[in-house]
Amino acid sequence: MKLARIARTGPDGVIPRLVAVQPEQKRVIDLATAERLRLERQGATQEAARRLATALFPSSMAAAISLGEVFLAAARQAIETAPEEAVMPLLQYPQTLQYPQTDRKKEEVEASPPPAVQQGSVYQGKPQTSSGFAPGDLQWLSPLDPPLLRDFTAFEQHVQNMSARQGQPIFKEFFQAPPYFKINPLTLIGHEQEVPWPNYTEYMDYELEIGLVIGKSGRNLSPQEALSHLFGVTILNDFSARDIQGPEMSSGFGPSKGKDFATALGPWITTCDEVDLTRLDMVARVNGEEWSRGSSATMTWKVEELIAYASKGETIWPGELLGSGTVGTGSGAEHGKQLHPGDVVELEVQGIGVLRNRIGQPEPRGWEPEPRKSRISN
């Protein structure tokens, strides 16, 4: 099952909606609408049907996941019984997209993003459907609204590549336990949403990762127990301000501003029964050119070990998100490359899909902290 969130504009403004995505059938199902209509057909009043459908399929994916098997069973039933009024067409992306030409001037690239990204929706200009949605209204949100986001580094090759570029060996702690840091969960963006370029950086980079969505609470789990606590997987792009990240981490703190401005997630969550986590091919493209390729098979720390370590001494909760860390060669910095305004970054993971985002224009320069002198005499 593939589950996502979209934004729907109604009388009360923009409301996130949980949807099931069926790429093979080229359709998206609004789960709350499908359930409400099913209940009405069984005799429920419209208000009662709406209350129950909203309880089963709230705007929060994390809240829905916390319902456990009740949520999944309700989603399967909604998919099986969905009437036309709850269905929206899914226009599959063309196999060959029109990207900015990489040999063109930077100014031309910035002015010519791919049509799908420039227009904001692959459905633009299509007629309204019987569901009441204009297909152009289908706007992807981050499929998950996690209360907490831990980002691990589980791939030795990535650590080695980045360390080598700095003339350093791999830090020995990597081999003792899977390291992680925490990312601001409030700056998550979804598929096709623009990546903000903060005003303090000149070196933007992508990171090709898998996002692990926790489905069940647990504490002090063993790796053997951990996989049963995993709900599904998605694609995670941990955008990085490299010129800020380095100095931050050399202080012994961070990263903070080097990471917290934006993390892309999507396009949807694929439940665990549909993927083999041990061998997922992973590819990154910038403006249609492949920059990175790897596999989950090369993880030094396995998925179940990441979950178990996250639960060590603390409880993990439904809806939390763990990043796998960047696959080997899965960033521009490993190739001596960096992103520019207008670039289109696509991350593709086998069995999940393609996450695509366009890099925005740099924000105007603003306030900068003034360096201080020590006030403590030796």
Side-chain angles (χ1 to χ4, degrees), residues 243-259:
D243 50 348
I244 302 301
Q245 178 187 353
E248 282 181 339
M249 297 183 71
S250 67
S251 71
F253 290 87
S256 50
K257 293 299 181 185
K259 297 282 190 178

Side-chain angles (χ1 to χ4, degrees), residues 3 9 34 41 52 61 87 123 134 152-153 161 171 179 192 221 273 291 332 366 368:
L3 300 165
T9 302
R41 290 195 302 270
L52 182 52
M61 183 69 78
V87 177
Y123 306 97
F152 283 87
T153 181
N161 292 345
F171 59 98
E192 287 196 343
L221 302 172
D273 57 299
W291 282 19
E368 292 290 343

Side-chain angles (χ1 to χ4, degrees), residues 75 133 218 259-260 303 343:
F133 289 92
K259 297 282 190 178
D260 280 350
V303 167
D343 282 348

Side-chain angles (χ1 to χ4, degrees), residues 153 155-164 170-171 174 334:
T153 181
F155 294 88
E156 180 182 354
Q157 185 182 5
H158 171 70
V159 179
Q160 181 180 26
N161 292 345
M162 295 298 287
S163 298
I170 296 178
F171 59 98
F174 173 80
E334 292 173 75

